[in-house]
Amino acid sequence: MEAIKLERFKPLFIVLVLISAFALPLAVKNEYFLRVLVMIWIYSILSISLNFIIGFSSSLSFGHHAFYGIGAYTTALMMTMLGAPFLYALAASIVVTFLFGVAVGIPVTRVRGDYLVLLTLAFGEMFRLTMQGWIDFTGGQMGVVGIPAPVIWGFKIKTNFHFYYLALVLLILTYVTLHTITRSRIGRAMIAIREDELAASTSGINAGFYKLLNFSLGCMYAGVAGSFMAVYMTAIAPSNFTLNEGVLMIVMVIVGGLGSFAGSIIGAAVMLISTEAFRSVYQYRLLIIGLIMVLVLLWRPQGIMGVGAWKKISQKGGN
């Protein structure tokens, strides 16, 4: 009974979190801390979108950083070469990354295990090498520079304060839409496939279609993060989209908890704050990331907010 009462406070908790998130920049005046918060929101979008793939279809993708880069390059090239407004470039990034997700997802969703990892890993490296070698179009190793500040409905976004709210709005839209999908008939079909693909197929669920849709949607939202990152950094290069970035995203998902979008945000915050705290020993970044992941998993094998975490908190409240 007490557990049910505790569950009733969940909407209130969400409202308080949102109010705190919107009020935070009013209290934080330091530009460095604001920039860290903006990066947490960017990586939260990436972590949620990857968790949507891994947590709801059990497809371990090592190429998520490539779709992040596709979104970034699409926005950067449209705004610098065509002079397109940010919202048009963002829409184009969404469409392009979704189509690439479909194209890559067709072979990816037909394999499992090591073969799936190798396919996504290969695509990630192919993307990076293509952007690095296609000098006339992408600028090669130097990348795309001079990306203009976004203008939305006549308002120019140019400070960390402005970018904070734009990133937060994109994060909320990502969270709400993917959360809604997971609670719909489509999401239930994806979960059924994750639990037992054979049983789901025999019950009439088109496993191939839903796995492809899951992969493509997850990739699409990585493109949203990439589009934002391009205008925020004002310059992008192939070095921004390496395998290290893909591994970091996977670590964020695992630390936060598979199947938990709230956990993905926590995982992104934990990893980014930790790496910023150890910036003086940056050369040991990957070692520190691995150590943090091991410590968290020793403490909570299912991740900080793994599936069922809220129910367990409610049950403890009932005891």
Side-chain angles (χ1 to χ4, degrees), residues 100-112 115-116 119 212 215:
F100 266 96
V102 172
V104 176
I106 291 174
V108 162
T109 54
R110 294 182 180 181
V111 296
R112 298 181 183 179
Y115 297 103
L116 189 151
L119 274 175
L212 179 59
F215 186 82

Side-chain angles (χ1 to χ4, degrees), residues 1 6 12 14 16 19 23 55 58 62 65 77 80 91 121 133 143 155 163 172 176 178 268-270 273:
M1 199 66 174
L6 186 58
L12 177 62
I14 294 172
L16 290 175
I19 292 174
S58 299
F62 270 82
H65 58 286
L77 293 173
T80 55
L121 183 63
F155 182 80
F163 277 109
I172 292 172
V176 170
L178 289 181
V270 167
I273 292 173

Side-chain angles (χ1 to χ4, degrees), residues 255 270-271 274-275 287-297:
V255 169
V270 167
M271 298 310 301
S274 299
T275 52
L287 178 62
I288 293 168
I289 289 172
L291 180 61
I292 293 170
M293 184 179 71
V294 170
L295 292 175
V296 169
L297 294 181

